[in-house]
Amino acid sequence: MEPVLAAAERIRRLEVQGARNVAIAAIRALEDLARGTGAEDRDGFLRELLEAKRILFASRETEPLMRNAVRWVISQVEGSRAEDAAALAEAVSSASRAFLRGLEESWASIAEIGARRIKDGSVVFTHCHSSTVIAILKRAKADGKRLEVICTETRPLFQGRLTAREVLEAGIRATLIVDSAARSFINDADIAIVGADAITSEGNVVNKIGTSAIALMAREARTPFYVASELLKYDPATAYGDYEAIEERSPREVWDGAPEGLIIRNPAFDVTRRDFIDGIICEDGIISPHSVTEAVRRRYPWVFELARP
Ligand code: RUB
Protein backbone atom coordinates (compact mmCIF):
# COMPACT_ATOMS: atom_id res chain seq x y z
CA MET A 1 0.00 0.00 0.00
CA GLU A 2 3.13 2.19 0.11
CA PRO A 3 2.51 4.30 -3.05
CA VAL A 4 -1.10 4.92 -2.05
CA LEU A 5 -0.23 5.92 1.53
CA ALA A 6 2.49 8.25 0.19
CA ALA A 7 0.10 9.87 -2.32
CA ALA A 8 -2.62 10.27 0.33
CA GLU A 9 -0.11 11.98 2.61
CA ARG A 10 1.01 14.37 -0.14
CA ILE A 11 -2.63 15.18 -0.88
CA ARG A 12 -3.43 15.71 2.82
CA ARG A 13 -0.44 18.03 3.28
CA LEU A 14 -1.40 19.98 0.11
CA GLU A 15 1.91 19.12 -1.56
CA VAL A 16 -0.48 18.17 -4.35
CA GLN A 17 -3.14 20.86 -4.56
CA GLY A 18 -6.27 21.58 -6.61
CA ALA A 19 -8.99 19.08 -7.50
CA ARG A 20 -7.57 18.09 -10.86
CA ASN A 21 -4.03 17.49 -9.60
CA VAL A 22 -5.43 15.54 -6.64
CA ALA A 23 -7.36 13.23 -8.98
CA ILE A 24 -4.31 12.72 -11.21
CA ALA A 25 -2.12 11.89 -8.19
CA ALA A 26 -4.69 9.37 -6.94
CA ILE A 27 -4.89 7.63 -10.32
CA ARG A 28 -1.10 7.46 -10.59
CA ALA A 29 -0.95 5.95 -7.09
CA LEU A 30 -3.36 3.19 -8.17
CA GLU A 31 -1.14 2.45 -11.16
CA ASP A 32 1.98 2.26 -8.96
CA LEU A 33 0.18 0.02 -6.50
CA ALA A 34 -0.94 -2.31 -9.27
CA ARG A 35 2.53 -2.48 -10.79
CA GLY A 36 4.12 -3.53 -7.49
CA THR A 37 1.25 -5.66 -6.19
CA GLY A 38 1.95 -8.64 -3.94
CA ALA A 39 -1.55 -10.04 -4.51
CA GLU A 40 -1.64 -13.65 -5.64
CA ASP A 41 -5.04 -13.80 -7.25
CA ARG A 42 -7.85 -11.62 -8.58
CA ASP A 43 -9.69 -11.47 -5.25
CA GLY A 44 -6.53 -10.37 -3.43
CA PHE A 45 -5.84 -7.74 -6.08
CA LEU A 46 -9.36 -6.33 -5.90
CA ARG A 47 -9.13 -6.24 -2.09
CA GLU A 48 -5.95 -4.15 -2.43
CA LEU A 49 -7.70 -1.75 -4.80
CA LEU A 50 -10.62 -1.33 -2.40
CA GLU A 51 -8.24 -0.61 0.47
CA ALA A 52 -6.48 1.96 -1.74
CA LYS A 53 -9.86 3.54 -2.49
CA ARG A 54 -10.62 3.82 1.24
CA ILE A 55 -7.26 5.50 1.94
CA LEU A 56 -7.49 7.91 -1.00
CA PHE A 57 -11.10 8.89 -0.25
CA ALA A 58 -10.09 9.74 3.33
CA SER A 59 -7.17 11.97 2.25
CA ARG A 60 -9.37 15.02 1.45
CA GLU A 61 -13.10 14.86 1.78
CA THR A 62 -14.26 17.54 -0.67
CA GLU A 63 -12.82 15.93 -3.82
CA PRO A 64 -15.49 14.22 -5.94
CA LEU A 65 -13.37 14.29 -9.11
CA MET A 66 -10.87 12.06 -7.35
CA ARG A 67 -13.65 9.79 -6.07
CA ASN A 68 -15.26 9.54 -9.52
CA ALA A 69 -11.85 8.78 -11.06
CA VAL A 70 -10.95 6.05 -8.56
CA ARG A 71 -14.42 4.47 -8.78
CA TRP A 72 -14.22 4.39 -12.58
CA VAL A 73 -10.76 2.81 -12.73
CA ILE A 74 -11.75 0.15 -10.21
CA SER A 75 -15.01 -0.55 -12.09
CA GLN A 76 -13.02 -1.14 -15.30
CA VAL A 77 -10.82 -3.68 -13.53
CA GLU A 78 -13.82 -5.38 -11.93
CA GLY A 79 -15.44 -5.59 -15.37
CA SER A 80 -12.33 -7.11 -16.99
CA ARG A 81 -11.65 -10.84 -17.27
CA ALA A 82 -8.05 -10.45 -16.09
CA GLU A 83 -7.00 -13.12 -13.57
CA ASP A 84 -3.25 -12.93 -12.93
CA ALA A 85 -1.43 -9.98 -11.37
CA ALA A 86 0.23 -8.82 -14.61
CA ALA A 87 -3.05 -8.76 -16.53
CA LEU A 88 -4.84 -7.01 -13.65
CA ALA A 89 -2.08 -4.40 -13.41
CA GLU A 90 -2.41 -3.83 -17.16
CA ALA A 91 -6.17 -3.35 -16.70
CA VAL A 92 -5.51 -0.65 -14.07
CA SER A 93 -2.95 0.97 -16.29
CA SER A 94 -5.10 1.09 -19.43
CA ALA A 95 -8.14 2.36 -17.47
CA SER A 96 -5.96 5.03 -15.86
CA ARG A 97 -4.56 6.12 -19.21
CA ALA A 98 -8.07 6.33 -20.68
CA PHE A 99 -9.32 8.37 -17.73
CA LEU A 100 -6.39 10.79 -17.85
CA ARG A 101 -6.81 11.18 -21.62
CA GLY A 102 -10.47 12.13 -21.09
CA LEU A 103 -9.51 14.59 -18.38
CA GLU A 104 -6.91 16.16 -20.65
CA GLU A 105 -9.44 16.52 -23.48
CA SER A 106 -11.99 18.14 -21.15
CA TRP A 107 -9.31 20.49 -19.87
CA ALA A 108 -8.37 21.57 -23.41
CA SER A 109 -12.05 22.15 -24.34
CA ILE A 110 -12.65 24.20 -21.20
CA ALA A 111 -9.56 26.29 -21.96
CA GLU A 112 -10.77 26.96 -25.50
CA ILE A 113 -14.36 27.78 -24.50
CA GLY A 114 -13.35 29.85 -21.48
CA ALA A 115 -10.79 31.83 -23.48
CA ARG A 116 -13.52 32.84 -25.94
CA ARG A 117 -15.51 34.34 -23.08
CA ILE A 118 -12.59 36.68 -22.25
CA LYS A 119 -12.82 39.80 -24.39
CA ASP A 120 -9.72 41.53 -25.70
CA GLY A 121 -8.41 44.01 -23.14
CA SER A 122 -10.16 42.35 -20.20
CA VAL A 123 -9.24 42.27 -16.54
CA VAL A 124 -9.94 38.82 -15.07
CA PHE A 125 -10.48 38.32 -11.35
CA THR A 126 -9.69 34.94 -9.79
CA HIS A 127 -9.33 33.31 -6.38
CA CYS A 128 -7.04 30.56 -5.08
CA HIS A 129 -5.17 28.41 -7.61
CA SER A 130 -7.07 26.50 -10.25
CA SER A 131 -5.09 24.75 -12.98
CA THR A 132 -8.25 24.98 -15.10
CA VAL A 133 -8.50 28.77 -14.76
CA ILE A 134 -4.78 29.08 -15.53
CA ALA A 135 -5.33 27.01 -18.70
CA ILE A 136 -8.10 29.43 -19.78
CA LEU A 137 -5.90 32.47 -19.14
CA LYS A 138 -2.98 30.98 -21.08
CA ARG A 139 -5.26 30.01 -23.95
CA ALA A 140 -6.72 33.54 -24.09
CA LYS A 141 -3.20 34.94 -24.23
CA ALA A 142 -2.21 32.42 -26.94
CA ASP A 143 -5.32 33.46 -28.90
CA GLY A 144 -3.88 36.96 -29.02
CA LYS A 145 -6.08 38.59 -26.37
CA ARG A 146 -4.62 41.34 -24.25
CA LEU A 147 -5.58 40.65 -20.66
CA GLU A 148 -4.56 41.14 -17.07
CA VAL A 149 -5.36 39.24 -13.92
CA ILE A 150 -6.22 40.23 -10.37
CA CYS A 151 -5.73 37.39 -7.88
CA THR A 152 -6.39 37.15 -4.18
CA GLU A 153 -3.57 35.83 -2.01
CA THR A 154 -5.97 33.20 -0.56
CA ARG A 155 -5.40 32.89 3.18
CA PRO A 156 -4.36 30.84 5.03
CA LEU A 157 -2.14 28.88 2.63
CA PHE A 158 -1.57 31.54 -0.06
CA GLN A 159 -2.39 29.47 -3.14
CA GLY A 160 -2.96 32.85 -4.85
CA ARG A 161 0.79 33.35 -4.91
CA LEU A 162 1.07 30.25 -7.05
CA THR A 163 -1.53 31.71 -9.39
CA ALA A 164 0.28 35.05 -9.51
CA ARG A 165 3.58 33.33 -10.32
CA GLU A 166 2.10 31.14 -13.08
CA VAL A 167 0.21 34.08 -14.61
CA LEU A 168 3.36 36.19 -14.65
CA GLU A 169 5.39 33.35 -16.13
CA ALA A 170 2.79 33.16 -18.90
CA GLY A 171 3.60 36.76 -19.75
CA ILE A 172 0.31 38.11 -18.36
CA ARG A 173 0.21 41.20 -16.16
CA ALA A 174 -0.82 40.19 -12.63
CA THR A 175 -1.91 42.04 -9.48
CA LEU A 176 -2.04 40.30 -6.11
CA ILE A 177 -4.40 41.58 -3.41
CA VAL A 178 -5.21 40.49 0.14
CA ASP A 179 -8.51 38.59 0.34
CA SER A 180 -10.25 41.40 2.20
CA ALA A 181 -9.50 43.80 -0.68
CA ALA A 182 -11.70 41.81 -3.07
CA ARG A 183 -14.60 44.27 -2.87
CA SER A 184 -12.28 47.18 -3.63
CA PHE A 185 -11.03 45.52 -6.82
CA ILE A 186 -13.97 43.56 -8.20
CA ASN A 187 -15.23 46.69 -9.99
CA ASP A 188 -11.94 46.84 -11.88
CA ALA A 189 -12.60 43.39 -13.32
CA ASP A 190 -14.60 42.61 -16.46
CA ILE A 191 -15.12 39.00 -15.51
CA ALA A 192 -14.45 36.71 -12.53
CA ILE A 193 -13.51 33.08 -13.15
CA VAL A 194 -12.82 30.56 -10.39
CA GLY A 195 -12.31 26.81 -10.28
CA ALA A 196 -14.36 24.18 -8.46
CA ASP A 197 -13.77 21.29 -6.14
CA ALA A 198 -17.31 19.99 -6.22
CA ILE A 199 -20.60 20.66 -7.99
CA THR A 200 -23.75 19.52 -6.23
CA SER A 201 -26.91 18.10 -7.80
CA GLU A 202 -28.61 21.49 -7.35
CA GLY A 203 -25.85 23.22 -9.32
CA ASN A 204 -24.21 24.84 -6.32
CA VAL A 205 -20.42 25.02 -6.45
CA VAL A 206 -17.95 24.19 -3.70
CA ASN A 207 -14.60 25.94 -4.06
CA LYS A 208 -11.88 27.51 -1.90
CA ILE A 209 -13.13 29.37 1.16
CA GLY A 210 -13.95 32.94 0.18
CA THR A 211 -15.35 32.05 -3.24
CA SER A 212 -18.98 32.58 -2.22
CA ALA A 213 -18.22 36.05 -0.83
CA ILE A 214 -16.52 36.94 -4.12
CA ALA A 215 -19.59 35.72 -6.04
CA LEU A 216 -21.82 37.95 -3.90
CA MET A 217 -19.54 40.93 -4.47
CA ALA A 218 -19.41 40.20 -8.18
CA ARG A 219 -23.21 40.20 -8.33
CA GLU A 220 -23.39 43.50 -6.49
CA ALA A 221 -20.71 45.00 -8.75
CA ARG A 222 -22.36 43.51 -11.88
CA THR A 223 -19.18 41.62 -12.76
CA PRO A 224 -20.06 38.33 -14.49
CA PHE A 225 -19.03 35.35 -12.35
CA TYR A 226 -18.08 32.03 -13.95
CA VAL A 227 -16.91 28.67 -12.67
CA ALA A 228 -14.49 26.62 -14.80
CA SER A 229 -14.92 22.94 -14.08
CA GLU A 230 -14.93 19.48 -15.60
CA LEU A 231 -18.36 17.87 -15.28
CA LEU A 232 -16.66 15.04 -13.38
CA LYS A 233 -16.38 17.34 -10.35
CA TYR A 234 -20.08 16.64 -9.94
CA ASP A 235 -20.73 14.76 -6.71
CA PRO A 236 -23.38 12.06 -7.33
CA ALA A 237 -23.77 11.52 -3.57
CA THR A 238 -25.55 14.89 -3.43
CA ALA A 239 -28.14 13.57 -5.90
CA TYR A 240 -28.75 10.69 -3.49
CA GLY A 241 -29.40 13.04 -0.58
CA ASP A 242 -26.01 13.60 1.02
CA TYR A 243 -24.60 17.06 1.69
CA GLU A 244 -21.17 17.81 0.28
CA ALA A 245 -18.77 17.54 3.22
CA ILE A 246 -16.63 20.61 3.74
CA GLU A 247 -13.10 19.82 4.82
CA GLU A 248 -11.98 21.59 7.99
CA ARG A 249 -8.22 21.89 8.29
CA SER A 250 -5.82 22.43 11.16
CA PRO A 251 -6.15 25.71 13.15
CA ARG A 252 -2.37 25.90 13.00
CA GLU A 253 -2.62 26.88 9.33
CA VAL A 254 -4.41 30.04 10.50
CA TRP A 255 -2.32 30.87 13.57
CA ASP A 256 0.55 28.71 14.71
CA GLY A 257 1.16 29.57 18.36
CA ALA A 258 -2.27 31.05 19.04
CA PRO A 259 -3.22 31.69 22.70
CA GLU A 260 -4.51 28.69 24.63
CA GLY A 261 -8.31 28.43 24.60
CA LEU A 262 -8.84 30.44 21.42
CA ILE A 263 -11.25 28.84 18.99
CA ILE A 264 -9.98 28.95 15.43
CA ARG A 265 -12.09 27.64 12.56
CA ASN A 266 -10.46 26.76 9.26
CA PRO A 267 -12.89 25.43 6.64
CA ALA A 268 -11.08 24.86 3.35
CA PHE A 269 -14.10 25.44 1.11
CA ASP A 270 -17.48 27.13 0.93
CA VAL A 271 -20.63 26.77 -1.15
CA THR A 272 -21.58 29.30 -3.82
CA ARG A 273 -25.28 29.17 -4.59
CA ARG A 274 -26.15 28.61 -8.23
CA ASP A 275 -28.09 31.92 -8.37
CA PHE A 276 -24.80 33.80 -8.16
CA ILE A 277 -23.12 31.86 -10.96
CA ASP A 278 -23.55 33.17 -14.51
CA GLY A 279 -22.32 29.95 -16.05
CA ILE A 280 -20.26 26.82 -15.61
CA ILE A 281 -17.54 26.58 -18.24
CA CYS A 282 -17.27 22.84 -18.82
CA GLU A 283 -16.39 20.40 -21.61
CA ASP A 284 -19.99 20.63 -22.88
CA GLY A 285 -19.79 24.41 -23.30
CA ILE A 286 -20.97 27.17 -20.99
CA ILE A 287 -23.99 25.79 -19.19
CA SER A 288 -26.37 27.05 -16.56
CA PRO A 289 -25.74 25.57 -13.11
CA HIS A 290 -29.39 24.49 -13.21
CA SER A 291 -28.68 22.02 -16.01
CA VAL A 292 -25.57 20.43 -14.59
CA THR A 293 -27.21 17.19 -13.40
CA GLU A 294 -28.68 16.59 -16.85
CA ALA A 295 -25.34 17.34 -18.51
CA VAL A 296 -23.58 14.80 -16.28
CA ARG A 297 -26.33 12.21 -16.82
CA ARG A 298 -25.93 12.59 -20.59
CA ARG A 299 -22.17 12.46 -20.77
CA TYR A 300 -21.14 10.33 -17.80
CA PRO A 301 -24.10 8.14 -16.74
CA TRP A 302 -21.72 5.79 -14.88
CA VAL A 303 -21.07 8.57 -12.31
CA PHE A 304 -24.52 7.84 -10.83
CA GLU A 305 -24.36 4.06 -11.21
CA LEU A 306 -21.00 3.68 -9.47
CA ALA A 307 -21.99 5.87 -6.51
CA ARG A 308 -25.41 4.31 -5.88
CA PRO A 309 -25.80 3.89 -2.10
C1 RUB B 1 -7.93 24.56 -4.65
C2 RUB B 1 -9.18 25.15 -5.22
C3 RUB B 1 -9.30 25.18 -6.72
C4 RUB B 1 -10.05 23.94 -7.19
C5 RUB B 1 -9.97 23.78 -8.70
O1 RUB B 1 -8.02 24.35 -3.26
O2 RUB B 1 -10.10 25.54 -4.52
O3 RUB B 1 -10.03 26.30 -7.14
O4 RUB B 1 -9.48 22.78 -6.61
O5 RUB B 1 -8.67 23.51 -9.12
P1 RUB B 1 -6.80 23.62 -2.49
P2 RUB B 1 -8.40 22.78 -10.51
O6 RUB B 1 -5.57 24.44 -2.74
O7 RUB B 1 -7.21 23.56 -1.06
O8 RUB B 1 -6.66 22.23 -3.10
O9 RUB B 1 -9.04 23.63 -11.55
O10 RUB B 1 -6.89 22.74 -10.63
O11 RUB B 1 -8.99 21.42 -10.43
Side-chain angles (χ1 to χ4, degrees):
M1 222 27 76
E2 186 49 39
V4 172
L5 289 168
E9 192 51 27
R10 277 188 294 123
I11 292 169
R12 206 180 340 269
R13 295 158 72 97
L14 253 77
E15 284 165 26
V16 178
Q17 162 284 334
R20 193 169 156 277
N21 291 330
V22 165
I24 293 171
I27 294 288
R28 298 236 158 95
L30 288 185
E31 271 191 283
D32 289 346
L33 173 74
R35 226 175 282 123
T37 182
E40 283 166 8
D41 55 18
R42 184 180 160 96
D43 285 352
F45 189 90
L46 288 175
R47 265 199 307 278
E48 274 190 0
L49 283 185
L50 293 181
E51 176 61 3
K53 171 180 162 184
R54 193 191 58 74
I55 294 167
L56 290 167
F57 278 25
S59 63
R60 288 194 82 183
E61 53 187 327
T62 319
E63 298 297 348
L65 175 62
M66 183 246 281
R67 292 198 290 272
N68 288 330
V70 169
R71 282 192 197 110
W72 190 78
V73 169
I74 295 178
S75 77
Q76 296 306 103
V77 181
E78 285 170 339
S80 80
R81 289 167 184 275
E83 286 294 339
D84 61 275
L88 286 157
E90 180 44 37
V92 171
S93 184
S94 70
S96 302
R97 280 198 306 271
F99 190 90
L100 293 177
R101 211 177 312 119
L103 207 57
E104 196 65 36
E105 283 165 14
S106 298
W107 202 50
S109 304
I110 294 169
E112 188 184 333
I113 296 161
R116 259 188 235 125
R117 185 96 337 177
I118 297 175
K119 292 186 190 137
D120 188 33
S122 288
V123 176
V124 183
F125 192 103
T126 192
H127 181 53
C128 195
H129 175 267
S130 155
S131 60
T132 319
V133 173
I134 298 280
I136 290 176
L137 299 170
K138 284 185 176 169
R139 179 62 199 253
K141 165 95 181 159
D143 289 347
K145 307 258 175 73
R146 285 164 301 147
L147 71 154
E148 60 178 282
V149 174
I150 299 175
C151 45
T152 55
E153 59 179 358
T154 317
R155 282 270 300 152
L157 293 178
F158 303 108
Q159 290 93 328
R161 292 180 185 172
L162 192 56
T163 301
R165 197 185 293 278
E166 289 184 10
V167 166
L168 270 186
E169 281 169 5
I172 300 169
R173 190 179 146 102
T175 303
L176 184 82
I177 58 170
V178 296
D179 299 340
S180 44
R183 182 62 192 91
S184 304
F185 286 86
I186 197 87
N187 278 105
D188 296 348
D190 300 289
I191 185 168
I193 313 179
V194 299
D197 283 273
I199 306 177
T200 73
S201 59
E202 297 101 329
N204 300 328
V205 166
V206 181
N207 190 50
K208 177 55 55 191
I209 191 77
T211 301
S212 66
I214 292 169
L216 288 174
M217 293 171 200
R219 174 57 53 93
E220 195 237 336
R222 292 189 164 74
T223 302
F225 182 90
Y226 288 90
V227 173
S229 172
E230 295 87 350
L231 288 172
L232 284 174
K233 287 179 181 165
Y234 182 88
D235 191 344
T238 60
Y240 294 125
D242 287 347
Y243 289 96
E244 186 65 38
I246 303 286
E247 175 190 358
E248 178 120 12
R249 298 182 62 85
S250 164
R252 254 178 261 122
E253 289 180 352
V254 178
W255 189 356
D256 196 7
E260 192 83 13
L262 178 67
I263 299 164
I264 295 178
R265 300 290 309 274
N266 186 20
F269 304 106
D270 64 20
V271 181
T272 301
R273 293 247 322 274
R274 62 182 182 185
D275 318 78
F276 296 93
I277 299 169
D278 289 285
I280 296 181
I281 307 168
C282 67
E283 59 270 48
D284 255 9
I286 299 186
I287 65 171
S288 156
H290 293 75
S291 63
V292 74
T293 295
E294 277 324 301
V296 179
R297 240 182 243 292
R298 242 189 345 261
R299 204 182 249 263
Y300 306 108
W302 54 265
V303 160
F304 297 91
E305 285 148 29
L306 297 182
R308 207 175 282 285

